[in-house]
Amino acid sequence: MKIVKIIICFGLLYMFAVQAVEAKQRKVVQKPVYMIGVGFSLVDSMVFITDMQLVDSVSIEKKTKFLKDRQLYSFQLQHYLEAAYKGGPYVPSVFFHTKRRKMERQYLSLHKRYVQSKEMRIILVDVSQFRFKAEKYIGEENK
């Protein structure tokens, strides 16, 4: 009977330790990031590329540097494209980085890739037309 109690105690301690480590790994911080949005038209051969934008107070996972609720930023771009360009379904992608220099390289790489393509037509979306808005992150414990 004493061994069963010891095993249960160790099991409970292990569960609390695992939960503490997971909570520490999921720590979210608010940071400004640079973002680029790219949208592809499924009907035409058009690619929409937004200007590089600084978005303040974005939730990023501290350990993995992953943008939380990334799909919400993609939805922002998709809703804009569907409202502004009545062409059909659009597939959006969002690229981000906390360092401006790295984001500029990513932007130039994407721009160069689609400029060289003869099949694709590029439409540059200016900041005055579309701007990303920071989304409020609701953690797992609040859902």
Side-chain angles (χ1 to χ4, degrees):
M1 187 71 172
K2 192 173 185 179
I3 289 183
V4 172
K5 289 181 182 179
I6 292 172
I7 291 173
I8 290 174
C9 286
F10 278 121
L12 289 173
L13 286 174
Y14 177 75
M15 285 180 13
F16 288 128
V18 168
Q19 287 178 346
V21 168
E22 286 179 356
K24 193 173 186 179
Q25 289 176 347
R26 285 185 265 130
K27 187 169 184 161
V28 175
V29 294
Q30 301 288 321
K31 283 188 169 184
V33 297
Y34 294 94
M35 281 191 187
I36 298 170
V38 179
F40 301 94
S41 172
L42 294 177
V43 179
D44 298 335
S45 57
M46 294 190 312
V47 177
F48 300 90
I49 301 177
T50 67
D51 283 341
M52 185 173 64
Q53 304 172 13
L54 178 64
V55 183
D56 198 26
S57 299
V58 174
S59 301
I60 296 181
E61 205 168 283
K62 189 172 185 175
K63 183 176 180 182
T64 61
K65 308 280 191 261
F66 189 76
L67 179 66
K68 297 304 270 184
D69 293 333
R70 188 179 197 157
Q71 72 276 10
L72 296 177
Y73 296 99
S74 294
F75 289 150
Q76 287 181 18
L77 179 60
Q78 182 178 12
H79 293 309
Y80 166 75
L81 292 175
E82 288 174 352
Y85 303 95
K86 313 264 192 245
Y90 296 100
V91 180
S93 296
V94 175
F95 299 91
F96 76 98
H97 208 284
T98 55
K99 295 187 175 147
R100 181 180 178 89
R101 192 90 167 145
K102 289 189 177 185
M103 195 72 258
E104 285 174 347
R105 276 191 242 136
Q106 179 84 35
Y107 180 79
L108 291 174
S109 170
L110 285 169
H111 193 270
K112 183 179 177 183
R113 177 186 311 165
Y114 295 115
V115 164
Q116 290 177 350
S117 174
K118 302 283 190 230
E119 298 89 32
M120 300 296 234
R121 188 174 61 157
I122 297 179
I123 297 176
L124 298 175
V125 179
D126 193 57
V127 175
S128 62
Q129 297 170 328
F130 171 75
R131 188 148 195 66
F132 286 108
K133 295 173 191 70
E135 294 283 348
K136 183 173 169 87
Y137 172 68
I138 301 172
E140 287 85 16
E141 62 274 354
N142 297 334
K143 286 185 179 179

